[in-house]
Amino acid sequence: MNFSKILAGKLLLTSELPLASSTTDYLIRTNQLKQLPSMTTKYGRYQCNRCGNTNQQLFANIACARCDHTHLYCRNCIQTGRVLHCDNLLTWNGSEPSWPTQAQPCQWTGTLTSPQQTAAKAIEQAINNKQKEILTWAVCGSGKTEMLFPAITKAIKERKRICIATPRADVVRELFPRLQQAFPETEIEALYADSPDRTDKGQLIISTTHQLIRYQDAFHVMIIDEIDAFPFHHDKTLPYLTNRACKKDATTIYLTATPRREHKRKIRQKKLPVQFVPIRFHGHPLPIPQLKIEIGLRKKLNRGTEPKALQQFLATRSKSRQLLLFVPTISLLEKVADRYQAISVHAEDPDRKEKVEQFRQQKITTLVTTTILERGVTFPSVDVVILDAGHHVFDEAALVQIAGRAGRSPDDPTGEVLFIHQGKTNAMEDAIAQIKMMNKKGNIL
């Protein structure tokens, strides 16, 4: 068995090792597996060495059945497996894995547009020069995934290990078959909770950022898709895990259509190299959202009453397109879905994967959703409506991303986007201004 491919770059609990206990003992005795303490103490403060947590309120005591003592465990990373104070973390200490030599790893037959080629070349050069980081600011529907193909191809040819990390499992599920098709001879894994595509020996790994808790010093190339998305920008653990998963000389590539304020500031200060792609791959502009005010909208939604603005829109829109209907809360989800005899989906829906796939295959006409489908999913021909677009969950980035679900196909590059609100917000105005700015820049190219 090739242990290096299975274990190199991993940081695992004993229970997570995909090996028999006798094999684990042998690898420890021969110094091929190294044991590390799961927690350390400095100046009376604890640190979890699995997730990096130093918040003392997130440590708790437990009566441990394994060692028959009461001691600490970390509550911060319990969702990915409980780490106990008496447990050790295991990391590979043997030889580096040797990945297969491939002369032509990429079998994608498409052609990059001129803006895509410029961005792809900049990404590839960043890897060649072992540049620390680069941000690609590319509008929704610009073809970010295809822009990565030349860089991924070069890394595979050089027998490097690559990770594409994203905050959301839906994005992992969408990217996995596309990357499999483009790189059919490469060992590819898709990692998210209960993923059926975990092989423990991937050279190219597509992962939610949470799953990187099991990696350390693993990747030569780290691509972080949707860097601005929740929870990545909100949870400081996730950037920590992503950085730890990189090798010391790794290149990190950030992808986003809606960079956060701190990224824009670093770009202005010339502390973060940026490549801007302001035009969609099919050359058509981004749909500009239309605003419709509805007096007493929230009361109507809570009562299950149909807003007049939505009624008028549904009566006049093209029936050839599917409809994505966004609502701000789960409590509104079923009310709206029942009102329109539609299917609904949210983050905790056990049938979430199947429903999204059915909508993609056009077996569902209308899908009512929360912000879980604001980004990272592509449907060929949809109109988009946000009910209560002034709600605080719809910040500027969310509104731009949601609007970007429309008009993604060259066969239907328009699509309608409607923000129904009971009072215009700065986020709505800023989102529309950003979309218009992108369209203006794209028209100059």
Side-chain angles (χ1 to χ4, degrees):
M1 183 182 291
N2 191 334
F3 295 117
S4 64
K5 281 189 179 180
I6 296 172
L7 299 175
K10 302 282 182 67
L11 184 69
L12 300 173
L13 298 169
T14 306
S15 60
E16 293 174 327
L17 282 172
L19 304 172
S21 58
S22 57
T23 304
T24 300
D25 292 341
Y26 166 76
L27 293 174
I28 292 172
R29 284 199 313 272
T30 55
N31 201 33
Q32 295 179 76
L33 271 180
K34 185 177 179 181
Q35 298 183 88
L36 303 172
S38 62
M39 297 179 195
T40 50
T41 308
K42 188 174 183 180
Y43 306 123
R45 293 180 63 84
Y46 302 108
Q47 175 172 333
C48 175
N49 294 325
R50 186 167 183 250
C51 70
N53 170 44
T54 57
N55 184 344
Q56 303 303 289
Q57 293 181 344
L58 293 177
F59 291 96
N61 282 307
I62 188 171
C64 180
R66 182 168 57 188
C67 69
D68 202 27
H69 285 79
T70 297
H71 55 63
L72 292 175
Y73 74 99
C74 176
R75 294 192 291 119
N76 188 57
C77 56
I78 195 169
Q79 286 187 328
T80 46
R82 185 163 60 193
V83 56
L84 301 166
H85 195 279
C86 67
D87 200 2
N88 285 314
L89 297 172
L90 294 164
T91 186
W92 181 245
N93 198 40
S95 59
E96 284 287 304
S98 179
W99 306 105
T101 301
Q102 295 188 55
Q104 294 294 334
C106 185
Q107 300 300 312
W108 183 63
T109 57
T111 303
L112 295 176
T113 64
S114 179
Q116 285 178 317
Q117 287 175 350
T118 301
K121 186 175 181 180
I123 294 169
E124 193 174 348
Q125 285 179 342
I127 295 173
N128 286 341
N129 300 333
K130 294 187 177 180
Q131 189 174 311
K132 184 173 177 57
E133 56 186 3
I134 183 173
L135 184 143
T136 301
W137 184 348
V139 298
C140 299
S142 60
K144 292 191 293 291
T145 303
E146 288 73 18
M147 291 180 220
L148 298 172
F149 287 175
I152 294 173
T153 298
K154 182 173 181 58
I156 292 173
K157 283 183 176 180
E158 294 178 353
R159 301 163 81 184
K160 293 179 177 179
R161 200 174 195 183
I162 312 106
C163 178
I164 302 176
T166 177
R168 303 199 174 181
D170 297 284
V171 181
V172 176
R173 284 190 285 262
E174 175 150 317
L175 287 178
F176 182 55
R178 293 170 64 185
L179 271 295
Q180 279 187 313
Q181 187 174 15
F183 299 93
E185 300 302 318
T186 302
E187 184 70 51
I188 304 176
E189 284 188 85
L191 304 183
Y192 52 89
D194 301 319
S195 170
D197 302 302
R198 185 187 301 269
T199 66
D200 288 316
K201 53 184 179 180
Q203 181 180 5
L204 172 56
I205 290 175
I206 313 161
S207 174
T208 60
T209 45
H210 287 86
Q211 294 295 318
L212 295 181
I213 197 169
R214 299 182 178 93
Y215 287 87
Q216 176 177 279
D217 193 29
F219 301 106
H220 303 88
V221 179
M222 174 64 72
I223 301 163
I224 307 178
D225 193 14
E226 309 288 1
I227 190 174
D228 64 293
F230 181 87
F232 190 85
H233 74 92
H234 179 74
D235 185 350
K236 65 180 182 180
T237 299
L238 300 179
Y240 168 83
L241 298 179
T242 305
N243 291 333
R244 188 182 67 186
C246 293
K247 290 185 173 293
K248 290 182 180 179
D249 60 350
T251 296
T252 300
I253 300 151
Y254 306 119
L255 303 175
T256 181
T258 48
R260 295 281 168 177
R261 187 176 300 168
E262 62 269 25
H263 299 127
K264 292 179 181 178
R265 185 185 70 250
K266 290 177 72 175
I267 290 169
R268 287 195 303 270
Q269 296 172 344
K270 300 189 183 302
K271 294 181 179 179
L272 178 61
V274 62
Q275 189 66 39
F276 196 77
V277 185
I279 190 168
R280 290 181 150 185
F281 77 95
H282 52 53
H284 292 268
L286 295 157
I288 298 173
Q290 301 300 307
L291 300 181
K292 278 286 186 180
I293 191 165
E294 179 89 18
I295 304 302
L297 174 63
R298 288 174 184 168
K299 288 183 179 179
K300 291 178 182 179
L301 291 175
N302 287 326
R303 289 198 307 261
T305 305
E306 182 177 34
K308 289 183 179 179
L310 182 55
Q311 186 181 42
Q312 292 169 356
F313 175 77
L314 295 177
T316 58
R317 66 180 285 267
S318 170
K319 299 302 187 292
S320 63
R321 296 192 188 107
Q322 293 169 280
L323 178 64
L324 264 179
L325 192 54
F326 285 84
V327 296
T329 63
I330 292 178
S331 61
L332 275 179
L333 200 69
E334 292 306 323
K335 289 181 181 178
V336 174
D338 289 345
R339 178 69 180 78
Y340 295 100
Q341 297 182 326
I343 301 297
S344 66
V345 65
H346 58 89
E348 303 304 320
D349 189 335
D351 300 320
R352 169 181 172 180
K353 179 181 176 181
E354 291 74 18
K355 288 178 180 178
V356 172
E357 187 57 34
Q358 286 174 356
F359 189 73
R360 183 176 286 112
Q361 294 175 5
Q362 300 182 333
K363 295 178 180 178
I364 296 173
T365 302
T366 300
L367 188 62
V368 185
T369 180
T370 57
T371 54
I372 60 156
L373 296 186
E374 75 177 34
R375 62 177 75 219
V377 290
T378 298
F379 307 111
S381 183
V382 297
D383 288 331
V384 175
V385 175
I386 302 179
L387 285 174
D388 195 8
H391 193 282
H392 67 85
V393 303
F394 298 121
D395 60 10
E396 177 189 349
L399 293 171
V400 171
Q401 291 282 357
I402 289 171
R405 297 313 98 201
R408 297 176 74 93
S409 169
D411 297 323
D412 185 14
T414 54
E416 296 188 67
V417 180
L418 180 65
F419 293 172
I420 300 177
H421 63 95
Q422 65 176 30
K424 192 161 55 175
T425 62
N426 290 337
M428 281 186 262
E429 292 182 332
D430 292 343
I432 291 173
Q434 185 180 151
I435 291 169
K436 288 181 176 178
M437 178 270 291
M438 292 173 176
N439 285 341
K440 185 177 180 180
K441 283 183 175 289
N443 194 45
I444 295 172
L445 294 178

